[in-house]
Amino acid sequence: MIPLSETLSQGRELVAEIEHRSGQKVADCYQCGTCSSTCAAADAFDYPPHMFMRLLQLGAVDRAMASTTGQLCYDCMTCSSRCPIRIDVADVIETTKNIADEQGIRESERGLRLFRNLFLKNVRRHGRLHEASLLAWFNLKSGKLTNDLSLVPLILRRKNVRIVQPRIKDRAQVRRIFQRAKERPRW
Amino acid sequence: MSGGDIKLVGFLCNWCSYAGADMAGTSRMAQPAEMRIVRLPCTGRVNPLLVLKAFQEGADGVLVSGCHPGDCHYNEGNYYAHRRLELLSRMMAVYGIEPERFRYTWISASEGARWAETVTGFTETIRPLGRLNLAGGGARDDDHHQGPAAGSASPAEKR
Amino acid sequence: MRIGVFVCQCGTNIAATVSTERVASAAMALRDVVHAESIQYTCSDPGQRTVIAAAHKYALDRVVIAACSPRMHETTFQRTMAQAGINPFMMEMVNIREHCSWIHSDMEVATEKAIDLVSMGVAKVRGQTPLFSSHVPVVSEVLIIGGGVAGIQAALDIADAGMPVTLVERGPTIGGNMARLDKTFPTLDCSSCILTPRMVEVKHHENIRLMVNSEVEQVRGYIGNFEVDIRKKATCVDEEKCTGCQICEQKCPSEAPDEFNAGVGETKAISIAFPQAVPLVASLRKEYCRLYIKGKCGICKKVCPADAVDYEQEDELHTEKFGAIVVATGYELFDWRQAYPHYGGGLYPDVITSIQYERMLSASGPTGGHIQRPSDGAEPKEIVFLSCVGSRDESIGRPLCCKVGCMYIAKQAILTREHIPDSRTYVFYMDVRAGGKGYDEFYRRAQKEAGAVYLRGRVGKIYPRGGKLVVMGADTLVGENVEVEADLVVLATGIDAAAGAGSLAQRLNIPYDQYGFLSESHPKLRPVETTTGGIFLAGACQGPKDIPETVAQASAAAAKVIVLLSHDELETSPMIAEVNHMRCIGCFKCREVCPYHAIEEQGLRDGRRVAVVIESLCQGCGLCTVACPPSVISLRGYTDNQLIEEVTAVLR
Amino acid sequence: MVSTAYSYYPGCSLTSSATEYDISFRKVVEALGIQLDELEDWNCCGASPAPHHKAETLGVLLPGRNLHIAGASHDAIVAPCAGCYNRLKYAQYKLAGDQDIREQTSEVFQAEVRYQTEVLNIVQMLNREITPEALRERSQGRLANIRIGAYYGCLLTRPADILGFDSPRDPRKMRPLMEATGAEVPHFPFKTECCGSYMGLARKDILLKASHRIIEVAVSTGLDALVTACPLCHQNLDLRQEQINKAMGTSLRMPVLYFSQLIGLAMGISPEELELDALVVQPDMDRWLKGVA
Ligand SMILES: Cc1cc2nc3c(=O)[nH]c(=O)nc-3n(C[C@H](O)[C@H](O)[C@H](O)COP(=O)(O)OP(=O)(O)OC[C@H]3O[C@@H](n4cnc5c(N)ncnc54)[C@H](O)[C@@H]3O)c2cc1C
Ligand SMILES: Cc1cc2nc3c(=O)[nH]c(=O)nc-3n(C[C@H](O)[C@H](O)[C@H](O)COP(=O)(O)OP(=O)(O)OC[C@H]3O[C@@H](n4cnc5c(N)ncnc54)[C@H](O)[C@@H]3O)c2cc1C
Ligand code: SF4
Ligand code: SF4
Ligand code: SF4
Ligand code: SF4
Ligand code: SF4
Ligand code: SF4
Ligand code: SF4
Ligand code: SF4
């Protein structure tokens, strides 16, 4: 049950924030479901995109922020490109997810959280991505040691494949970039 | 005070823009109150001298609005209007009037929202310019101010 | 000069934001105003009586009514004036409702503005002189453009009233889109059973002249006196001689697209659209004919037993006079292909439009009433209907609802079950719009009796797989994606105005919207009139409509025409231009600009040549007044002096 | 100093798991006589997880640094990886549109940020350097035996208002060059459907389903190969094709080529030089080139 009198007043500010940051109006959505029917990941979401939009329409932002939708959506924008109202659904989902992050709402999709953190750590350290070490660390930390190992020999069929990327020279600047992003994640 | 110090005059054609302004009213679209509308059959009836006369008599801005090109009730009235008014707007500076004070647009009977936006935008353009001060001396000076005109509480009176 | 000012409260519509009492008392201070009062509902019967009583009591010779828009009640109060013994044109309406009370919220501001507006009205009416209407004779013939069910209905109604009608249809036959339908909702009666007899009636009615393959080119004149150029295009067949035997069509070697059947099947370069066509006459389309492309053939001429084929035939241009015009140009289906690449963009043969499906259902259609997949001719078992394709879709600039899609999908689902009992139909929809008498019941029948599976959601993608079409949609009610492996997909495509409706509207000088649908004068009060006197609308040319509505509107338009033409003469507006002959310099700049050719040259006794205005032609646009170098033309009701007074009243 | 050569941004993938893309691209460019200068000291643009930082600082600063470096020496930068291209365009869009972002970025870079270098993807660049007519001339219908599908995926066209490259619903820009190879390019219904993106490590289940569908439709469309301009798509569709088949219980086979490999083949460059042997699903080159001298 969604207590609408409550959610609609309590959720108002956050919805306005989402609308402002994404430049989209949730009331524009007429719940046609095109977004969901085009989404390759919708089956895995607890709320497919149109229902995600609906939650925001009903002011149930807490539910939207805690849902797996924001975590699993990979911003492919298939939904946005086919929405008959031209709503950038992907942007709405992502903005909501960003706000959830800022509010410290923990992701339930642990694997993805881990992947993102490791990825950024990797880039922060080297300036470039070490695909191999990303895989190794991911497997180690997720406890799925053999994950994707079968791919490694397939990758190694390539001639120039670099197992270890050369680190970039101006690492100080990369550090500054990450420092700034940490201090002010948004402009 | 009726909505500020400035006074704006709008010359609107009966078929499109006047009806558009009606539509804005029917839809209760709030607008600034400085505009005074004069209804005409067609923008083709707007004599450039009439516009200049309005400025001379103390208008701070003049807006002319009619049907979209191709949609004139009289087929080609707005076509002539366009030619005349385009010339007029280029002449504004010659008369010592800021060109922004004169504008002409096309608004149809169904474009109430567009009318409301236009009035709002036009008013907001003129407000910072303030009152028009015609070097040649318009009718605004107090000694020109005669006759009972518009009621005792008229803002013009208090200027 | 004795002016009375009446300030309307319009209940609270005005009085809530404008102090009408203050406006009235301010008006009393204006020159020549001898009476001013505030009235609750001026247009009501007691309101009008108050005005009349005051007019007598204060011996008023001019009146200002500050109320709603003159576009609303000017004629009402002109009539009031006549009753009060005042010339109707000695009354000026001041708009303090639409242009004041409804757009402002501050009482002080709105009241001040209303006072300004009243002072403008008083200034203007002071310069007014009595005007008198004159009369012009009316042509009693009627032009109807478009021969769909709307044009047919209007033509028959008007012709039955005894007025001569010319029905102009640009296609080779009348009947329009309805002639292509199989059965019709909500009663499922057969479309041609209702329509064909009426088409034949048109053909034989003594008061109707039917012109097919014809288009309106130019329109001049005005209400009661239109002059219209009609082009009858050459079809290489003599309409009088052709017997409709179709031998030419059978023998013709050139294939041509079958527009009547919406591309289901092909026809020939010379053909008759369908067996019940009216008139039942062949036409030849040169763009597909070998004789015109390669210079060799001529078979049709040889085989025609009636000697009706005439390759030398030329376009005919007719110029005719009409008193009134009814526009009934109908609709076309939106071409969905560009806009929906995710539905295959027209590449998949088994994704078809609703009108194509309609042709398949029809027993007299190209498949003889058998539903067939275009790709392989097989009978489909799983059939998916998609509503709102090219409707309610802002991403392609088409937010409008097609209005008939939901209902004809229900119809087609029911008919599908009748044609193929072991079939299953699916309907993807967003809302089911079934608002007419018996309509909702009909749509429920599709679910209950025909077993149509209604799925609330739009389809995101269609793609072919193993001879079937995979339709990927969402069922928003269960919140999950769904998929159907369909044999045939039918799109309820959006409705557009007929091609060229916008340019026809420009020729007729009537307004139209961004989709080309023609605009009525007022959606509730004048739904069949246009803003141009004497031109009326019927049917889907005004916006999407079903047949009952189309026919009702056509009869309404006919009634309006009959009322108009039941008088021999029309009253004309006296608000027209007038030349001061004493001061005219004979330059004729005025004549150059007049859109109605209403100015002619006249010699005076002193030998000067001056301009005169032909009263019956002048429409009062005022263009000439501005063009005249010495400013000697005045427009009655809007003279230079009046306008200057109006402007200065508010600025002083 | 501004050079007429292109600044070349290979990005991380092209130098590790997708070197065949790098190699084949360089080979094609070399054959066309164009100079590529690899961007000096480039850094990762953050493409994979950065969608979730699209609106954020990192999404501008990381690719912004590459733009900045390129701007010192080149008029145009080419990024064959669709993800890199997408990120560079995004950073450029942000920098061009917002004075404040420009100032803050300049502060971090300790120099006035240069962001106006033209950003090109591989399709744009090759279309500029070799017209379809010229390629047709060179290829002499070399690939006439096969049917190939253009697979655009997501990052090359979306968001359309920022990338301004091709229609997001119905992209067609790959087609003219593909047809100039002599191959038949039938309509591929899944050309804009998502392959599952970077879900590979964390939620393989989602990815495999999405990729499976694309391969399945490619097979049922009767294609001999798909062509892509994105290393991530390639990874998901080619490298993981065994995983896909295993997870879905199918035995589909669909070679997936890089755009540069296809163009290279048409120009007569050998499959070995284009490193076609690195593909997991090997095309039947004998059949493809049957009858070609
Ligand atoms: C698939 C489908 C199924 C439908 N089923 C039903 C149903 O079951 N029941 C129902 O009530 N309604 C149904 N409708 C709606 C119905 O077709 C319309 O209500 C009706 O046809 C409108 O008639 P009309 O005369 O206004 O227009 P039309 O039928 O479009 O006729 C207009 C005519 O004007 C002609 N014309 C156009 N422009 C010009 C020009 N410039 N000069 C001269 N002539 C011109 C055209 O050639 C045409 O003959 C259906 C519609 C569709 C698309
Ligand atoms: C809440 C509500 C809101 C609405 N809002 C809108 C809206 O915003 N826009 C819109 O377009 N429509 C609206 N409508 C619909 C609108 O009211 C009707 O379309 C319209 O009033 C119908 O007019 P009518 O003349 O047919 O019937 P009515 O208005 O019902 O008039 C019938 C008249 O006949 C009289 N009468 C009845 N029987 C007899 C008899 N035997 N002998 C003599 N006289 C008799 C009645 O007393 C009555 O005066 C609304 C309806 C409702 C219920
Ligand atoms: S496609 Fe657009 S309108 Fe439709 S449900 Fe999704 S967000 Fe709403
Ligand atoms: S952007 Fe997210 S929600 Fe939209 S289609 Fe892609 S994965 Fe689904
Ligand atoms: S005259 Fe106009 S303003 Fe007055 S009551 Fe009638 S509708 Fe209302
Ligand atoms: S043109 Fe001649 S052959 Fe053709 S239908 Fe008419 S009469 Fe018959
Ligand atoms: S001339 Fe020949 S091709 Fe042309 S319409 Fe007649 S029979 Fe057909
Ligand atoms: S009538 Fe039905 S199918 Fe047509 S646009 Fe409206 S809702 Fe869609
Ligand atoms: S323009 Fe004026 S002066 Fe010239 S002919 Fe016409 S009325 Fe006379
Ligand atoms: S007002 Fe003048 S220009 Fe207009 S129709 Fe009359 S005569 Fe012609």
Side-chain angles (χ1 to χ4, degrees):
Chain A
M1 194 263 307
I2 300 178
L4 291 180
S5 312
E6 267 171 44
T7 54
L8 284 171
S9 24
Q10 286 167 5
R12 200 166 47 202
E13 268 178 38
L14 269 180
V15 172
E17 169 84 11
I18 292 166
E19 291 188 327
H20 174 70
R21 274 161 69 167
S22 65
Q24 312 299 313
K25 284 254 162 292
V26 299
D28 283 349
C29 169
Y30 61 174
Q31 287 294 303
C32 69
T34 308
C35 47
S36 299
S37 69
T38 61
C39 176
D43 281 351
F45 299 169
D46 43 12
Y47 293 101
H50 79 275
M51 289 176 98
F52 191 88
M53 294 297 295
R54 187 68 186 149
L55 286 177
L56 297 181
Q57 287 179 340
L58 299 181
V61 193
D62 289 347
R63 267 203 217 194
M65 288 195 303
S67 78
T68 59
T69 307
Q71 305 170 34
L72 293 175
C73 160
Y74 31 77
D75 204 28
C76 69
M77 297 187 64
T78 316
C79 51
S80 310
S81 76
R82 281 181 219 157
C83 169
I85 309 290
R86 287 183 180 278
I87 300 171
D88 191 340
V89 195
D91 208 349
V92 172
I93 295 175
E94 185 200 308
T95 306
T96 311
K97 165 75 167 91
N98 285 341
I99 293 176
D101 287 346
E102 286 158 27
Q103 299 212 341
I105 294 171
R106 250 179 107 71
E107 290 169 297
S108 50
E109 284 288 329
R110 293 186 42 223
L112 276 167
R113 190 174 70 218
L114 182 63
F115 172 74
R116 282 191 196 112
N117 289 342
L118 288 174
F119 186 103
L120 290 175
K121 222 186 217 166
N122 200 305
V123 175
R124 186 165 61 221
R125 165 146 342 141
H126 307 284
R128 295 184 185 170
L129 179 68
H130 265 191
E131 287 182 338
S133 71
L134 177 62
L135 173 64
W137 278 106
F138 182 86
N139 287 3
L140 199 64
K141 294 235 168 185
S142 63
K144 294 189 252 176
L145 284 179
T146 56
N147 186 28
D148 273 353
L149 277 191
S150 59
L151 301 183
V152 173
L154 298 177
I155 293 173
L156 291 179
R157 292 197 345 211
R158 286 154 180 82
K159 274 187 215 108
N160 286 3
V161 62
R162 294 182 201 165
I163 304 299
V164 178
Q165 283 271 13
R167 285 189 177 193
I168 72 169
K169 291 180 221 128
D170 195 356
R171 282 205 302 286
Q173 197 172 50
V174 173
R175 264 198 306 277
R176 271 201 306 281
I177 288 174
F178 275 91
Q179 187 59 30
R180 162 58 66 105
K182 193 171 167 195
E183 286 161 13
R184 311 220 349 231
R186 297 197 295 125
W187 292 106
Chain B
M1 297 290 292
S2 63
D5 284 336
I6 53 166
K7 281 221 170 167
L8 310 177
V9 176
F11 294 106
L12 271 59
C13 86
N14 177 50
W15 304 99
C16 295
S17 294
Y18 193 93
D22 279 359
M23 164 82 94
T26 318
S27 320
R28 315 295 201 271
M29 292 170 174
Q31 297 157 40
E34 285 90 336
M35 178 62 69
R36 302 288 177 270
I37 293 174
V38 175
R39 182 167 71 125
L40 295 169
C42 176
T43 45
R45 173 67 187 92
V46 179
N47 196 324
L49 293 172
L50 187 62
V51 175
L52 290 172
K53 180 79 179 164
F55 279 120
Q56 198 185 19
E57 294 294 332
D60 300 301
V62 176
L63 177 70
V64 178
S65 186
C67 310
H68 287 278
D71 293 351
C72 175
H73 183 77
Y74 304 101
N75 296 327
E76 45 207 36
N78 56 6
Y79 159 73
Y80 287 102
H82 175 78
R83 289 208 320 207
R84 291 169 188 152
L85 299 173
E86 188 51 44
L87 205 65
L88 179 64
S89 48
R90 276 188 256 136
M91 293 296 287
M92 279 294 135
V94 179
Y95 296 102
I97 301 168
E98 293 98 326
E100 306 91 285
R101 292 188 188 270
F102 173 68
R103 190 188 290 177
Y104 66 91
T105 70
W106 316 125
I107 291 172
S108 78
S110 59
E111 293 174 327
R114 177 131 166 219
W115 169 255
E117 281 161 27
T118 304
V119 174
T120 309
F122 188 59
T123 311
E124 278 163 9
T125 312
I126 308 297
R127 270 187 195 145
L129 297 178
R131 288 166 51 188
L132 173 63
N133 202 351
L134 275 183
R140 204 193 289 271
D141 318 67
D142 277 340
D143 21 328
H144 284 259
H145 176 251
Q146 20 144 276
S152 56
S154 160
E157 201 95 346
K158 293 183 197 144
R159 279 182 183 171
Chain C
M1 217 177 272
R2 302 182 62 81
I3 304 175
V5 177
F6 301 90
V7 186
C8 188
Q9 300 163 13
C10 199
T12 55
N13 280 313
I14 293 172
T17 25
V18 170
S19 164
T20 49
E21 292 298 336
R22 254 182 64 200
V23 176
S25 67
M28 278 303 283
L30 299 172
R31 183 140 60 109
D32 297 328
V33 173
V34 296
H35 172 72
E37 66 175 302
S38 159
I39 300 179
Q40 196 182 14
Y41 287 107
T42 314
C43 60
S44 67
D45 203 35
Q48 295 193 41
R49 271 187 273 123
T50 309
V51 175
I52 294 169
H56 290 310
K57 183 165 169 200
Y58 299 100
L60 304 179
D61 55 17
R62 284 167 171 74
V63 166
V64 168
I65 294 180
C68 49
S69 171
R71 294 175 55 84
M72 176 100 184
H73 273 320
E74 192 165 56
T75 39
T76 312
F77 292 124
Q78 284 178 339
R79 256 179 261 129
T80 316
M81 290 303 110
Q83 283 172 27
I86 302 175
N87 180 283
F89 297 91
M90 300 296 271
M91 183 276 305
E92 185 67 26
M93 271 193 88
V94 169
N95 187 343
I96 60 167
R97 193 177 74 172
E98 285 86 344
H99 292 188
C100 188
S101 72
W102 275 351
I103 56 170
H104 305 312
S105 44
D106 184 321
M107 183 107 180
E108 189 63 22
V109 168
T111 304
E112 289 302 338
K113 178 167 167 181
I115 292 170
D116 272 7
L117 295 175
V118 167
S119 68
M120 290 164 78
V122 170
K124 187 174 177 203
V125 85
R126 285 184 32 230
Q128 187 62 41
T129 48
L131 301 177
F132 301 92
S133 305
S134 52
H135 293 83
V136 290
V138 166
V139 180
S140 74
E141 217 171 305
V142 182
L143 170 67
I144 296 181
I145 309 174
V149 63
I152 292 172
Q153 180 71 28
L156 290 172
D157 284 350
I158 296 168
D160 284 346
M163 291 160 188
V165 173
T166 298
L167 176 56
V168 170
E169 163 61 51
R170 75 171 162 200
T173 170
I174 57 171
N177 278 298
M178 187 174 166
R180 304 152 98 185
L181 307 181
D182 176 34
K183 305 217 163 44
T184 55
F185 66 77
T187 46
L188 283 188
D189 28 17
C190 147
S191 183
S192 44
C193 310
I194 345 177
L195 187 65
T196 330
R198 308 233 76 194
M199 289 162 64
V200 174
E201 213 180 318
V202 166
K203 172 86 184 144
H204 298 303
H205 204 295
E206 53 177 12
N207 285 335
I208 299 179
R209 182 169 63 140
L210 178 57
M211 293 177 75
V212 292
N213 295 309
S214 301
E215 275 194 78
V216 167
E217 284 206 334
Q218 285 237 6
V219 181
R220 295 171 294 274
Y222 50 92
I223 179 168
N225 293 277
F226 294 104
E227 197 179 69
V228 183
D229 296 341
I230 303 167
R231 178 178 295 274
K232 186 162 173 48
K233 284 163 289 181
T235 58
C236 302
V237 175
D238 185 332
E239 239 179 76
E240 301 300 316
K241 292 187 187 162
C242 173
T243 60
C245 68
Q246 275 177 297
I247 292 175
C248 52
E249 183 173 336
Q250 286 150 17
K251 295 285 190 280
C252 171
S254 297
E255 303 260 292
D258 189 347
E259 275 142 25
F260 182 80
N261 286 315
V264 182
E266 286 216 318
T267 177
K268 300 288 184 59
I270 190 166
S271 64
I272 292 178
F274 65 111
Q276 293 83 27
V278 170
L280 193 66
V281 170
S283 0
L284 184 152
R285 286 182 287 169
K286 294 181 182 171
E287 60 274 33
Y288 305 107
C289 162
R290 258 178 223 200
L291 185 63
Y292 289 88
I293 299 171
K294 297 196 179 137
K296 250 193 0 227
C297 183
I299 293 177
C300 49
K301 192 175 170 62
K302 271 182 231 130
V303 299
C304 174
D307 192 23
V309 178
D310 169 12
Y311 301 128
E312 257 77 67
Q313 198 181 62
E314 282 179 5
D315 286 8
E316 293 166 26
L317 203 62
H318 300 254
T319 299
E320 315 263 334
K321 289 199 154 232
F322 299 101
I325 300 175
V326 177
V327 190
T329 49
Y331 71 93
E332 263 169 29
L333 287 187
F334 168 69
D335 184 353
W336 63 280
R337 290 171 298 183
Q338 286 278 317
Y340 293 91
H342 41 302
Y343 296 169
L347 287 172
Y348 313 144
D350 297 335
V351 177
I352 64 171
T353 66
S354 47
I355 201 83
Q356 291 174 320
Y357 198 61
E358 206 69 53
R359 292 312 295 145
M360 281 189 196
L361 289 170
S362 168
S364 59
T367 59
H370 296 295
I371 305 174
Q372 294 174 353
R373 283 159 49 102
S375 62
D376 57 5
E379 191 178 72
K381 300 289 179 201
E382 299 266 297
I383 298 158
V384 176
F385 294 92
L386 267 54
S387 64
C388 316
V389 178
S391 313
R392 305 178 69 197
D393 187 340
E394 286 176 24
S395 71
I396 55 166
R398 300 180 55 86
L400 71 165
C401 170
C402 80
K403 201 163 187 216
V404 287
C406 289
M407 286 305 292
Y408 71 61
I409 288 176
K411 168 185 80 177
Q412 293 179 345
I414 293 171
L415 294 174
T416 304
R417 176 53 71 90
E418 284 177 12
H419 279 69
I420 313 172
D422 61 343
S423 64
R424 183 158 48 219
T425 53
Y426 304 82
V427 180
F428 282 96
Y429 73 100
M430 292 198 289
D431 302 280
V432 173
R433 298 190 167 168
K437 184 172 167 179
Y439 284 22
D440 201 68
E441 297 89 322
F442 184 78
Y443 138 64
R444 293 285 294 140
R445 245 178 89 187
Q447 291 182 316
K448 291 190 294 191
E449 290 169 28
V453 181
Y454 272 69
L455 299 154
R456 197 209 163 279
R458 252 184 123 100
V459 165
K461 175 140 211 111
I462 299 172
Y463 69 94
R465 186 174 65 197
K468 299 221 168 201
L469 291 160
V470 182
V471 181
M472 293 166 59
D475 185 326
T476 57
L477 299 179
V478 297
E480 265 188 61
N481 287 348
V482 293
E483 220 175 78
V484 185
E485 280 195 58
D487 297 310
L488 186 69
V489 177
V490 182
L491 309 178
T493 45
I495 283 193
D496 264 346
S503 80
L504 178 67
Q506 286 188 351
R507 270 171 275 154
L508 290 163
N509 204 13
I510 55 177
Y512 56 99
D513 67 18
Q514 67 260 49
Y515 314 108
F517 289 119
L518 310 176
S519 309
E520 66 285 350
S521 176
H522 187 286
K524 274 165 276 198
L525 301 175
R526 292 162 62 84
V528 300
E529 291 96 328
T530 66
T531 52
T532 300
I535 302 186
F536 303 90
L537 304 177
C541 62
Q542 185 206 6
K545 275 189 192 63
D546 60 19
I547 296 164
E549 261 185 295
T550 297
V551 171
Q553 199 196 17
S555 287
K560 290 283 176 187
V561 168
I562 294 164
V563 170
L564 174 69
L565 301 188
S566 61
H567 307 283
D568 300 335
E569 288 190 324
L570 269 180
E571 208 176 67
T572 61
S573 164
M575 313 266 270
I576 56 172
E578 188 173 27
V579 176
N580 180 341
H581 292 158
M582 301 303 292
R583 295 177 48 217
C584 170
I585 57 172
C587 66
F588 300 107
K589 292 257 191 295
C590 50
R591 197 172 51 184
E592 285 169 29
V593 301
C594 177
Y596 298 94
H597 310 285
I599 293 180
E600 53 179 23
E601 204 176 315
Q602 206 177 63
L604 293 187
R605 244 178 285 162
D606 60 8
R608 285 189 304 128
R609 314 226 26 109
V610 296
V612 287
V613 174
I614 310 165
E615 294 201 358
S616 59
L617 292 182
C618 174
Q619 297 296 300
C621 67
L623 273 180
C624 54
T625 62
V626 185
C628 174
S631 295
V632 300
I633 312 184
S634 62
L635 183 64
R636 294 181 195 146
Y638 297 96
T639 65
D640 285 348
N641 274 344
Q642 278 182 297
L643 294 177
I644 290 171
E645 284 305 316
E646 194 177 351
V647 169
T648 40
V650 66
L651 296 172
R652 282 228 177 88
Chain D
M1 190 224 34
V2 170
S3 147
T4 50
Y6 288 89
S7 173
Y8 173 45
Y9 175 56
C12 307
S13 299
L14 269 72
T15 55
S16 56
S17 60
T19 50
E20 75 273 41
Y21 194 11
D22 174 67
I23 289 170
S24 57
F25 178 59
R26 286 178 192 268
K27 278 269 151 42
V28 167
V29 167
E30 193 187 295
L32 290 171
I34 307 161
Q35 188 188 331
L36 285 186
D37 301 332
E38 180 164 337
L39 187 68
E40 209 164 302
D41 202 35
W42 55 265
N43 59 277
C44 169
C45 64
S48 290
H52 284 282
H53 300 269
K54 185 163 84 177
E56 328 247 323
T57 323
L58 218 46
V60 173
L61 291 181
L62 282 175
R65 180 174 172 273
N66 294 325
L67 263 185
H68 180 66
I69 299 173
S73 51
H74 289 77
D75 283 338
I77 180 169
V78 56
C81 165
C84 298
Y85 161 72
N86 188 297
R87 294 291 86 201
L88 284 171
K89 282 294 267 190
Y90 174 75
Q92 183 168 55
Y93 172 84
K94 282 299 206 190
L95 287 166
D98 193 327
Q99 167 99 26
D100 181 48
I101 294 184
R102 266 201 309 276
E103 279 167 14
Q104 293 193 42
T105 305
S106 302
E107 211 182 295
V108 179
F109 291 176
Q110 298 173 334
E112 171 108 18
V113 58
R114 293 177 294 260
Y115 59 91
Q116 279 160 327
T117 311
E118 193 183 9
V119 178
L120 297 173
N121 60 44
I122 183 173
V123 183
Q124 283 170 314
M125 183 215 163
L126 289 183
N127 262 312
R128 194 174 289 187
E129 295 297 340
I130 178 167
T131 59
E133 295 73 45
L135 182 61
R136 181 162 289 131
E137 183 79 7
R138 267 177 113 129
S139 79
Q140 293 295 326
R142 186 177 295 269
L143 296 178
N145 295 338
I146 57 167
R147 288 158 59 91
I148 39 178
Y151 176 65
Y152 292 81
C154 314
L155 294 168
L156 206 53
T157 60
R158 298 191 284 259
D161 51 342
I162 293 179
L163 303 185
F165 169 54
D166 206 343
S167 154
R169 283 185 183 177
D170 190 17
R172 293 156 181 253
K173 294 260 164 80
M174 281 200 217
R175 176 180 279 270
L177 281 180
M178 286 175 63
E179 283 180 337
T181 66
E184 190 189 338
V185 186
H187 168 72
F188 176 49
F190 266 50
K191 61 181 169 182
T192 61
E193 254 37 41
C194 178
C195 67
S197 186
Y198 59 89
M199 287 283 153
L201 286 184
R203 284 296 301 265
K204 207 174 278 77
D205 56 327
I206 301 177
L207 178 142
L208 295 180
K209 256 195 229 164
S211 288
H212 173 256
R213 179 80 81 132
I214 294 166
I215 299 290
E216 187 188 25
V217 174
V219 170
S220 70
T221 309
L223 299 178
D224 293 304
L226 282 178
V227 168
T228 173
C230 173
L232 187 62
C233 298
H234 194 268
Q235 188 177 78
N236 291 340
L237 297 175
D238 179 58
L239 193 64
R240 294 185 186 278
Q241 215 171 101
E242 280 175 22
Q243 290 184 346
I244 291 171
N245 278 325
K246 209 160 147 200
M248 311 301 292
T250 50
S251 51
L252 304 168
R253 279 196 86 257
M254 179 56 52
V256 184
L257 270 66
Y258 283 108
F259 191 66
S260 49
Q261 291 177 316
L262 179 81
I263 305 296
L265 281 177
M267 292 170 68
I269 306 173
S270 74
E272 296 72 41
E273 281 181 285
L274 296 165
E275 240 195 276
L276 249 67
D277 42 6
L279 299 182
V280 171
V281 183
Q282 282 290 316
D284 179 356
M285 288 316 299
D286 293 342
R287 183 167 72 77
W288 283 30
L289 297 176
K290 196 164 76 192
V292 175

